[in-house]
Amino acid sequence: MKNEVGKVIPEKYSAHYGLFKGELANINEYQESSRLIHPVKPRDRKLLGSLQEAIIKTGLKDGMTISFHHHFREGDYVMNMVLAEIAEMGIKNLSIAPSSIANVHEPLIEHIKNGVVTSITSSGLRDKVGAAISAGIMENPVVIRSHGGRARAIATDDIHIDVAFLGAPSSDEYGNVNGTVGKATCGSLGYAMIDAKYADQVVVITDSLMPYPNTPISIPQTDVDFVVEVESIGDPSGISKGATRFTKNPKELLIAEYAAKMITHSPYYKQGFSFQTGTGGASLAVTRFLRDAMEKDEITASFALGGITNAMVELLEDGLVEKIIDVQDFDHLSAISLGSNPNHYEIDANMYASPLSKGSVINQLDTAILSALEIDTQFNVNVITGSDGVIRGASGGHSDTSAACKMSLVIAPLVRGRIPTIVKEVNTVVTPGTSVDIVVTEVGVAINPNRQDLIEHFKQLEVPQYTIEELQAKAYGIVGNPDPIQYGEKVVAVIEYRDGSVIDVVHNV
Amino acid sequence: MKNEVGKVIPEKYSAHYGLFKGELANINEYQESSRLIHPVKPRDRKLLGSLQEAIIKTGLKDGMTISFHHHFREGDYVMNMVLAEIAEMGIKNLSIAPSSIANVHEPLIEHIKNGVVTSITSSGLRDKVGAAISAGIMENPVVIRSHGGRARAIATDDIHIDVAFLGAPSSDEYGNVNGTVGKATCGSLGYAMIDAKYADQVVVITDSLMPYPNTPISIPQTDVDFVVEVESIGDPSGISKGATRFTKNPKELLIAEYAAKMITHSPYYKQGFSFQTGTGGASLAVTRFLRDAMEKDEITASFALGGITNAMVELLEDGLVEKIIDVQDFDHLSAISLGSNPNHYEIDANMYASPLSKGSVINQLDTAILSALEIDTQFNVNVITGSDGVIRGASGGHSDTSAACKMSLVIAPLVRGRIPTIVKEVNTVVTPGTSVDIVVTEVGVAINPNRQDLIEHFKQLEVPQYTIEELQAKAYGIVGNPDPIQYGEKVVAVIEYRDGSVIDVVHNV
């Protein structure tokens, strides 16, 4: 069975998830998931003596689903801590539903091998965990979900979280949590907020216990069952690891310059426009070029969205951006800003990007800069598997934002080392080509033929413009035709589109 | 069938709601109510041309349940406006579930007579509407619910709101709402937030349309289906009507002085204590006396709770109260404070007071000052029917707060005119005597014999102390025995306890 992007999906998965049939083909009314609530009476206490006690009190059993958030990124101690305790207690066969998985979660491999964890859904997988999954250590494929898709899956009960274990930079004894106060401040708790709202039971794990009531409140006491105090929930330096460097790479600067030019010459660039940029080197450079243009043109943005870095916070502070709408922070200064600037506003993942919400913020977004591991001549984008076919990336908000915003730009170098980035067919489709409006490389741009309006609009613009086939040919011209990957027979990951259908599967290598 | 407070409940109602069996007898785990969500796609718009268009788009039909909030109090235009439009459209047999009903809602009487509204749940009823209901104009009794009980009923699906019509002091086109910006600012939208979270469909009605994204966000776009702009949603002067006067009445001042003395000499009065006071003259005076004591003793409160007035805001600004936790504001200055002071924090009614939440703020409260129309020798309190048996009050947070806090004080004059306040048996029980710790009158106090610890503690305190029977005898000594009310056979109101059981019924007069 081929889906809308021409990918063959094994019957087993197409029957379960449905075939991807287009961006808006599977948006229907639904009954929202409901949680089993254990009321807390006037003299009950939530603060427990240990993580083990909390696990016991939740009644966690073999076969249940537990969740975590990834706001501490490479600095997270919570998932390893909880899984070690659970393994110690002899609980097996768990499904885990973290919002994402980082390098730091390498101990997960042992928990998989020992049967503690038998099912995973995540935005992505990195390094050794990705390699192990791609090697086929799990019986069940990992389900890769976008940030909006995960929020959708929780709201529709595709993921039903029995117990959420949520690291909290600060909490009071009754479970009022925020991410802007404490030892390991991560800023927005946008992904965790969803788990807290829908999970049957929520255990807050904190290393900074505050007097009641701890405000501001990102996760309220009404979403929390138990609170546990531990020595340390995360390494603050790991939170911003690898995400926020400024580039001096001339290729990245050229990409950024072209991307910024496309935005500032687009029909959407006017007083009160809105944008989302990413956290890679070129993305951050786009922000810098945008700043220059906005200052020159005396244009301010109504809001900026997304994973937030200090570069964005500076735009807010300098009055170039009126508001920041924040689902995740990538550095300490952004977390501080969230805690102190009323125009820097925290939202949850449902409001950020769910395709089944009553309207997410990305629906209001003019333009977004997104990255890619590969882009093909159908404009399909791969952000999950490397050129060797191994899972090493993350779906993130890619398919969400590109589908919803008015003009999406996917930026990437034409080649990386000896590997072409613009290819005839991506290894794995995460975002369908219909969502991608402009591909930006260091040699020039390609506008999606679906967007004749943009092709017409940009006709006179002094940025080299090609067809996507021309860019692909240039890439192959430099590094030669890529060798096909030799995949095995086993499906190691199912790539869900944001609406819950299967857009692709990944086989073992 | 007699319930725990000795009230005879007709079989019809005891079977449906269950008999009241004690404060915590009916607190059990439950599956939370779920809403039917109509997803909003990227290019969909929510702003409609008229209220009628919104009503049509929601598919509102005969027999459905609609809701409103009462944050505009006597200044509300929204409920009358919506019901007039609905009546005009010929829709009948609606259940309405406003968080409360004010004098200004007198047109409701016609909608009842015409069959537009056939079922009502509310915190209370005032003046002409109360009198009409007490006269028996409805076939179905009104269900009186406390603020926490209403949040509970919505969370358990006892009330399932098909369409919530929510007046918004400000909103953007996508439905991000707050109560601190606009022409008719009411401050906290704590009651409305619950409707928005659980209703299948939500129509936001605003007279101040703001640029996107409107922040701070009390009700998010993800809880809103449609937005309608109208000329005016409310009269700002009506919001604070009748609630915030400072008293010069010597009786009220004496009551306030005794109440403040009980608090400041209680075991709970220490650094970081917490309290809730009301908005009546004596309550406000308690706040003033408390301030004097706190300044003298150099004690500050960790938080103050409840319906908020400027008297409380001044305590916050002067550093005597660290945080205000706010479900409702009673004057303009409180609304302004909520919008500008980060230590003035908005919460919803579920977090304020629901007995079935994962822990409400009242559970953390040390002491509360509550008012009463009548108190009987079992310490039962009536806040709903007058001495003539006519419904004219509101359940409010009375039974919630008194049950949950560590020490509840019910303040009232011994007599009002020729009517005793301390009686042998209240006309209508709203709050059971087990929840009331101290009754405070201008002649002295009575401590509930259940609280031997407090009787012991206060032994040496220089406040006249009596038994409740002595206070009742004093009251009757002044004004004579009250004449019994001649009720009819028809049940015109069911008084739900906060847990959903029936604590009393009201008959027609």
Side-chain angles (χ1 to χ4, degrees):
Chain A
M1 298 276 280
K2 274 193 181 177
N3 67 14
E4 187 76 10
V5 289
K7 290 289 185 166
V8 178
I9 308 299
E11 160 74 25
K12 184 173 170 184
Y13 305 110
S14 63
H16 183 82
Y17 296 93
L19 280 182
F20 170 67
K21 291 180 181 165
E23 291 173 14
L24 300 177
N26 194 26
I27 306 294
N28 303 301
E29 64 174 42
Y30 66 104
Q31 203 67 38
E32 192 177 23
S33 171
S34 145
R35 58 188 172 170
L36 182 69
I37 292 183
H38 302 77
V40 172
K41 297 178 188 175
R43 268 143 293 271
D44 294 349
R45 296 197 59 187
K46 296 185 183 181
L47 186 68
L48 302 178
S50 69
L51 183 53
Q52 192 187 40
E53 189 185 351
I55 295 169
I56 292 168
K57 289 236 173 183
T58 62
L60 185 70
K61 278 195 268 297
D62 291 10
M64 284 187 168
T65 298
I66 63 176
S67 79
F68 305 92
H69 70 72
H70 76 291
H71 288 286
F72 302 126
R73 306 179 63 252
E74 289 298 345
D76 179 48
Y77 294 168
V78 173
M79 186 155 96
N80 291 343
M81 185 192 307
V82 171
L83 286 178
E85 188 67 48
I86 284 172
E88 179 78 25
M89 290 168 70
I91 300 169
K92 299 262 184 190
N93 192 24
L94 292 178
S95 293
I96 65 167
S99 49
S100 203
I101 292 174
N103 298 334
V104 73
H105 299 124
E106 198 182 319
L108 182 54
I109 297 170
E110 274 312 296
H111 297 306
I112 292 168
K113 289 183 176 165
N114 293 335
V116 175
V117 172
T118 51
S119 185
I120 296 176
T121 180
S122 173
S123 165
L125 298 169
R126 308 286 181 179
D127 275 26
K128 291 191 180 160
V129 179
I133 297 294
S134 276
I137 63 164
M138 291 194 77
E139 196 181 317
N140 304 315
V142 170
V143 181
I144 299 293
R145 290 180 162 112
S146 71
H147 290 325
R150 179 179 190 268
R152 178 220 86 240
I154 292 172
T156 57
D157 217 33
D158 288 348
I159 302 173
H160 187 87
I161 304 168
D162 294 297
V163 187
F165 293 94
L166 302 179
S170 71
S171 176
D172 58 42
E173 291 196 9
Y174 222 45
N176 292 301
V177 168
N178 70 55
T180 58
V181 173
K183 300 177 206 161
T185 49
C186 59
S188 177
L189 287 167
Y191 300 117
M193 287 156 81
I194 287 297
D195 301 41
K197 276 182 194 170
Y198 289 92
D200 284 343
Q201 294 193 78
V202 173
V203 177
V204 160
I205 300 167
T206 190
D207 55 9
S208 296
L209 209 54
M210 304 293 290
Y212 185 91
N214 183 38
T215 57
I217 300 172
S218 303
I219 295 173
Q221 62 187 46
T222 40
D223 287 344
V224 174
D225 296 271
F226 302 110
V227 178
V228 177
E229 193 182 11
V230 297
E231 183 64 29
S232 180
I233 54 166
D235 170 12
S237 72
I239 294 173
S240 54
K241 197 168 169 185
T244 57
R245 68 201 161 86
F246 271 100
T247 189
K248 288 181 181 171
N249 178 325
K251 234 198 232 184
E252 290 190 334
L253 286 171
L254 203 51
I255 293 171
E257 195 188 323
Y258 287 155
K261 223 164 167 180
M262 299 303 283
I263 292 175
T264 57
H265 290 81
S266 77
Y268 308 108
Y269 179 69
K270 52 191 175 198
Q271 179 54 33
F273 83 116
S274 56
F275 64 98
Q276 171 172 327
T277 59
T279 58
S283 280
L284 285 178
V286 176
T287 309
R288 229 187 311 176
F289 286 115
L290 265 183
R291 163 192 283 272
D292 295 343
M294 289 165 74
E295 279 174 339
K296 187 172 96 1
D297 303 330
E298 295 183 358
I299 276 182
T300 62
S302 56
F303 71 96
L305 182 65
I308 300 301
T309 63
N310 191 47
M312 203 68 95
V313 169
E314 286 172 356
L315 292 184
L316 178 70
E317 286 170 355
D318 295 346
L320 292 166
V321 162
E322 285 170 45
K323 291 178 184 179
I324 288 178
I325 304 297
D326 186 353
V327 73
Q328 182 179 17
D329 291 289
F330 286 88
D331 54 37
H332 184 65
L333 291 171
S334 303
I336 296 302
S337 166
L338 179 68
S340 55
N341 189 330
N343 288 319
H344 187 160
Y345 208 82
E346 186 179 32
I347 58 165
D348 66 31
N350 182 56
M351 181 154 163
Y352 169 46
S354 170
L356 289 195
S357 75
K358 291 187 177 183
S360 52
V361 179
I362 52 174
N363 292 358
Q364 294 289 326
L365 191 64
D366 285 325
T367 183
I369 301 285
L370 300 153
S371 61
L373 293 172
E374 291 178 323
I375 305 148
D376 69 22
T377 50
Q378 297 300 309
F379 287 84
N380 296 318
V381 178
N382 169 21
V383 286
I384 194 79
T385 48
S387 60
D388 53 1
V390 173
I391 302 171
R392 57 164 49 91
S395 176
H398 202 290
S399 64
D400 301 307
T401 307
S402 57
C405 77
K406 297 197 184 72
M407 185 179 83
S408 65
L409 298 96
V410 172
I411 61 172
L414 201 63
V415 300
R416 287 187 176 93
R418 298 299 305 161
I419 314 284
T421 304
I422 317 292
V423 295
K424 288 191 176 155
E425 200 177 324
V426 290
N427 290 328
T428 313
V429 180
V430 173
T431 295
T434 49
S435 297
V436 176
D437 296 316
I438 304 172
V439 170
V440 183
T441 73
E442 72 279 20
V443 303
V445 305
I447 302 174
N448 193 322
N450 289 347
R451 294 299 304 267
Q452 286 300 322
D453 59 324
L454 292 180
I455 289 174
E456 190 60 33
H457 179 88
F458 285 119
K459 230 167 203 169
Q460 308 305 324
L461 184 65
E462 285 184 13
V463 170
Q465 300 183 34
Y466 301 97
T467 64
I468 191 75
E469 290 80 7
E470 286 168 341
L471 287 183
Q472 174 262 310
K474 275 178 187 290
Y476 284 23
I478 298 167
V479 295
N481 284 21
D483 294 329
I485 299 165
Q486 298 303 319
Y487 285 108
E489 288 298 306
K490 184 174 184 175
V491 172
V492 298
V494 170
I495 314 294
E496 251 194 18
Y497 185 61
R498 61 196 300 252
D499 67 2
S501 63
V502 202
I503 194 159
D504 210 342
V505 296
V506 181
H507 286 86
N508 65 310
V509 278
Chain B
M1 299 271 281
K2 272 193 183 180
N3 68 12
E4 188 76 10
V5 289
K7 288 291 184 164
V8 178
I9 309 298
E11 161 74 25
K12 182 173 172 186
Y13 305 109
S14 64
H16 183 81
Y17 295 93
L19 279 182
F20 171 67
K21 290 179 180 165
E23 290 173 13
L24 300 176
N26 193 27
I27 307 294
N28 304 300
E29 63 175 42
Y30 66 104
Q31 203 68 39
E32 192 178 21
S33 171
S34 146
R35 57 186 172 172
L36 182 69
I37 293 183
H38 302 77
V40 173
K41 297 179 188 175
R43 270 144 291 272
D44 294 350
R45 297 196 61 187
K46 296 185 183 181
L47 186 67
L48 302 178
S50 70
L51 183 54
Q52 190 187 43
E53 188 184 352
I55 295 169
I56 292 168
K57 288 235 173 185
T58 62
L60 185 71
K61 277 195 268 298
D62 291 11
M64 285 188 167
T65 298
I66 62 176
S67 79
F68 306 92
H69 70 73
H70 76 292
H71 289 286
F72 302 126
R73 306 176 64 252
E74 291 297 346
D76 179 48
Y77 294 168
V78 173
M79 186 156 98
N80 291 344
M81 186 192 308
V82 172
L83 286 178
E85 188 66 48
I86 284 172
E88 178 78 25
M89 290 168 71
I91 300 170
K92 300 261 182 187
N93 192 23
L94 292 177
S95 293
I96 65 168
S99 49
S100 204
I101 291 173
N103 297 335
V104 74
H105 298 125
E106 199 183 318
L108 183 53
I109 297 170
E110 273 313 296
H111 297 306
I112 293 169
K113 290 184 177 166
N114 292 336
V116 175
V117 172
T118 51
S119 185
I120 297 175
T121 180
S122 173
S123 165
L125 299 169
R126 308 285 180 181
D127 276 24
K128 293 194 180 158
V129 179
I133 298 294
S134 276
I137 62 164
M138 290 192 79
E139 195 180 318
N140 305 313
V142 171
V143 181
I144 298 294
R145 291 181 162 110
S146 71
H147 290 326
R150 179 179 190 268
R152 180 220 86 242
I154 293 172
T156 58
D157 217 31
D158 286 349
I159 301 174
H160 187 86
I161 303 169
D162 294 296
V163 187
F165 292 94
L166 303 179
S170 69
S171 175
D172 58 41
E173 292 196 8
Y174 223 44
N176 292 300
V177 168
N178 70 55
T180 59
V181 174
K183 300 178 207 160
T185 51
C186 59
S188 177
L189 287 167
Y191 299 118
M193 288 156 83
I194 288 297
D195 301 40
K197 276 182 193 169
Y198 290 92
D200 285 343
Q201 294 194 79
V202 173
V203 177
V204 159
I205 300 167
T206 190
D207 54 10
S208 298
L209 208 55
M210 304 292 291
Y212 184 90
N214 183 36
T215 58
I217 301 171
S218 303
I219 296 172
Q221 61 187 48
T222 42
D223 287 344
V224 174
D225 296 88
F226 302 110
V227 178
V228 177
E229 193 182 13
V230 297
E231 184 64 30
S232 179
I233 55 167
D235 170 13
S237 73
I239 294 173
S240 54
K241 196 168 170 185
T244 57
R245 67 201 163 88
F246 272 100
T247 188
K248 288 181 180 169
N249 178 325
K251 236 198 229 186
E252 289 190 335
L253 286 171
L254 202 51
I255 293 171
E257 193 187 327
Y258 287 154
K261 222 165 169 181
M262 297 305 281
I263 292 175
T264 58
H265 290 81
S266 78
Y268 309 106
Y269 180 69
K270 53 191 174 200
Q271 178 54 34
F273 82 116
S274 56
F275 65 97
Q276 172 173 327
T277 58
T279 57
S283 281
L284 285 178
V286 175
T287 309
R288 229 187 311 178
F289 286 116
L290 265 182
R291 164 192 282 271
D292 294 343
M294 289 165 73
E295 281 175 338
K296 186 171 98 357
D297 303 330
E298 294 182 359
I299 277 182
T300 62
S302 56
F303 71 95
L305 181 65
I308 300 302
T309 62
N310 190 46
M312 203 67 96
V313 169
E314 286 173 355
L315 292 183
L316 178 71
E317 286 170 355
D318 296 346
L320 292 167
V321 163
E322 285 170 44
K323 291 176 184 179
I324 289 178
I325 305 297
D326 185 353
V327 72
Q328 183 180 16
D329 292 289
F330 286 88
D331 54 38
H332 185 64
L333 291 172
S334 303
I336 295 301
S337 166
L338 178 68
S340 56
N341 190 329
N343 289 319
H344 186 159
Y345 209 82
E346 184 179 32
I347 59 165
D348 67 31
N350 182 56
M351 182 153 164
Y352 169 47
S354 170
L356 289 195
S357 76
K358 290 186 176 182
S360 51
V361 179
I362 53 174
N363 291 357
Q364 295 288 325
L365 191 65
D366 286 325
T367 183
I369 302 284
L370 299 153
S371 61
L373 292 172
E374 292 179 321
I375 306 149
D376 71 21
T377 51
Q378 298 299 310
F379 287 85
N380 296 320
V381 179
N382 169 21
V383 286
I384 196 78
T385 48
S387 61
D388 52 2
V390 174
I391 303 171
R392 58 164 47 92
S395 178
H398 202 289
S399 63
D400 302 307
T401 306
S402 57
C405 78
K406 298 196 183 72
M407 186 179 83
S408 64
L409 298 96
V410 172
I411 61 173
L414 200 63
V415 301
R416 288 186 175 94
R418 298 300 306 162
I419 314 284
T421 304
I422 318 290
V423 295
K424 288 192 175 152
E425 199 176 328
V426 290
N427 291 330
T428 312
V429 180
V430 172
T431 295
T434 50
S435 297
V436 176
D437 296 316
I438 304 172
V439 169
V440 183
T441 72
E442 73 278 20
V443 302
V445 306
I447 302 175
N448 192 323
N450 289 347
R451 293 301 302 269
Q452 286 300 320
D453 59 323
L454 292 180
I455 290 174
E456 189 60 33
H457 179 89
F458 286 118
K459 230 167 203 168
Q460 308 305 323
L461 184 66
E462 286 184 11
V463 170
Q465 300 183 34
Y466 300 98
T467 64
I468 191 74
E469 290 80 6
E470 286 168 342
L471 287 183
Q472 174 261 310
K474 277 180 186 289
Y476 285 23
I478 297 168
V479 295
N481 284 21
D483 294 328
I485 298 166
Q486 298 304 320
Y487 284 109
E489 287 298 306
K490 185 174 187 176
V491 172
V492 296
V494 170
I495 314 294
E496 254 196 17
Y497 186 60
R498 60 196 298 254
D499 67 0
S501 63
V502 201
I503 194 158
D504 210 344
V505 295
V506 180
H507 287 86
N508 65 310
V509 276

